[in-house]
Amino acid sequence: MKIALVGIGKIALDQHVPALEASPDWELAATVSRNGKVAGVPAYARIGEMLDAHPEIGTVSLCLPPVPRFLVAQAVLFAGRNLMLEKPPGATLAEVHILCDLAMAQGVSLYTTWHSRMAHAVAGAKAWLADCDIRSGRIIWREDVRKWHPGQDWIFEAGGMGVFDPGINALSILTEILPVPVHLTAAEIDFPGNRQAPIAARLQLGQNITADFDFRQEGPQTWDMEFQTDRGSLALRMGGNLLEIDGQRVGGQDSIMGEYPALYDRMARLVEQSASEVDVSPMVLVADAFTLGRRTTVEDFEF
Ligand code: NAP
């Protein structure tokens, strides 16, 4: 199946293009980006030009940051093409609800991807937790924004989500593996004085679960979650890629490769079945953190 990629930047080049090149299902047939290109692939600067020029391209995958994404997503659906969205699926929840209704009305597939749910150990953790009572949980998601998002000022602009850009990956795993729904009960959010989006956040969730997100971690990076249950302890490390039960490593792989091939495999199956997969539960937790959270102003931040 032919697919177009929109927003040829960091994640498109790091993950989407290699995943598509290796895919048995997809052929990258066009790109849309003001500056970015992929060698040998027809390139367009505007979505409308690409959609008009390529009626044979049935699916479009968006790798734009969240704020400029909605109008492009709408254009894809109005043109009757299937749509795959990078996380988070919109700048607001309302955008995602509108896209979901539009995809249904147009009879096309919509997939709101959460790449961290495809990490190696997530399915195993979900299966192990299925019969457990969760007594407490602790998420620590601390990374260096200068290393992972060099110069990406959009991340600290309104709608860029700040530290929730990686934090929502943790929440996407949490909402996937827990056997019960989870909701936010309190939050403390730290905004640099010169920025519109937070650099750190501490969340309190149901089931006695806490989350600590921080964009200022230099040295070793931490993407861990640990749960105490009536049947013992479970830990997911390396962003959901390693699984430990009662302190012993029992599964997963020490690598993040595999998440994006799994997303494109899932999208192929959705298109074949004319089905959609839309889940906003990680975004609800972030929106609720902004609604309920206590705000603190911290030191200015420059890249
Ligand atoms: P990025 O490189 O900063 O942006 C991707 C491309 O989008 C840019 O190269 C730019 O292409 C276009 N773009 C940027 N700002 C725009 C604007 N205001 N209006 C129109 N186009 C704009 O971002 P990214 O790191 O790839 O992230 C994109 C999405 O992927 C985000 O939602 C992020 O959460 C998600 N993601 C990122 C990572 C990561 O490690 N970076 C990992 C997983 C998921 P042109 O200038 O060529 O138009």
Side-chain angles (χ1 to χ4, degrees), residues 85-106:
L85 296 173
E86 250 299 353
K87 50 65 52 166
T92 68
L93 286 161
E95 286 182 0
V96 188
H97 292 309
I98 290 169
L99 295 177
C100 188
D101 290 347
L102 182 56
M104 212 176 293
Q106 293 286 86

Side-chain angles (χ1 to χ4, degrees), residues 3 5-23 26 28 38 61-63 84 86-87 113-116 118-120 148-149 152 169 223 241 255-265:
I3 191 166
L5 210 48
V6 182
I8 306 302
K10 186 168 190 312
I11 199 62
L13 295 172
D14 285 357
Q15 297 288 345
H16 289 255
V17 171
L20 288 169
E21 280 170 353
S23 169
W26 298 106
L28 179 57
V38 176
S61 175
L62 301 196
C63 311
M84 176 164 158
E86 250 299 353
K87 50 65 52 166
T113 67
W114 297 103
H115 66 87
S116 291
M118 297 301 192
H120 296 296
W148 301 103
H149 300 280
Q152 289 183 344
N169 297 335
W223 298 288
N241 283 293
S255 141
I256 63 157
M257 297 311 281
E259 294 178 11
Y260 283 81
L263 294 180
Y264 279 102
D265 180 67

Side-chain angles (χ1 to χ4, degrees), residues 86-147:
E86 250 299 353
K87 50 65 52 166
T92 68
L93 286 161
E95 286 182 0
V96 188
H97 292 309
I98 290 169
L99 295 177
C100 188
D101 290 347
L102 182 56
M104 212 176 293
Q106 293 286 86
V108 296
S109 297
L110 173 63
Y111 181 22
T112 60
T113 67
W114 297 103
H115 66 87
S116 291
R117 287 182 174 175
M118 297 301 192
H120 296 296
V122 170
K126 180 176 183 170
W128 195 86
L129 288 173
D131 303 321
C132 293
D133 283 333
I134 309 285
R135 297 197 166 141
S136 65
R138 191 167 72 120
I139 299 171
I140 303 178
W141 225 254
R142 292 174 163 224
E143 64 178 54
D144 184 351
V145 66
R146 292 188 175 93
K147 174 173 175 163

Side-chain angles (χ1 to χ4, degrees), residues 195-254:
R195 300 285 181 169
Q196 294 294 326
I199 198 157
R202 293 159 300 283
L203 313 184
Q204 182 72 53
L205 301 137
Q207 280 79 44
N208 202 17
I209 295 169
T210 60
D212 177 347
F213 301 154
D214 206 311
F215 247 160
R216 298 165 297 192
Q217 172 131 326
E218 295 174 0
Q221 310 282 286
T222 311
W223 298 288
D224 287 351
M225 54 183 77
E226 298 163 355
F227 300 93
Q228 304 301 322
T229 81
D230 59 329
R231 299 173 67 179
S233 66
L234 176 146
L236 273 174
R237 307 207 185 279
M238 288 280 299
N241 283 293
L242 294 179
L243 179 61
E244 292 174 7
I245 304 295
D246 294 329
Q248 300 297 313
R249 181 169 162 182
V250 297
Q253 286 179 34
D254 201 352

Side-chain angles (χ1 to χ4, degrees), residues 26-96:
W26 298 106
E27 175 195 339
L28 179 57
T31 61
V32 181
S33 215
R34 298 163 308 178
N35 303 292
K37 289 189 171 45
V38 176
V41 178
Y44 297 83
R46 302 174 69 87
I47 187 71
E49 290 166 13
M50 188 282 290
L51 292 168
D52 289 346
H54 292 277
E56 80 286 5
I57 294 180
T59 300
V60 180
S61 175
L62 301 196
C63 311
L64 295 162
V67 166
R69 206 179 299 158
F70 179 67
L71 292 177
V72 179
Q74 259 190 332
V76 169
L77 295 174
F78 277 132
R81 318 297 170 87
N82 306 300
L83 177 63
M84 176 164 158
L85 296 173
E86 250 299 353
K87 50 65 52 166
T92 68
L93 286 161
E95 286 182 0
V96 188

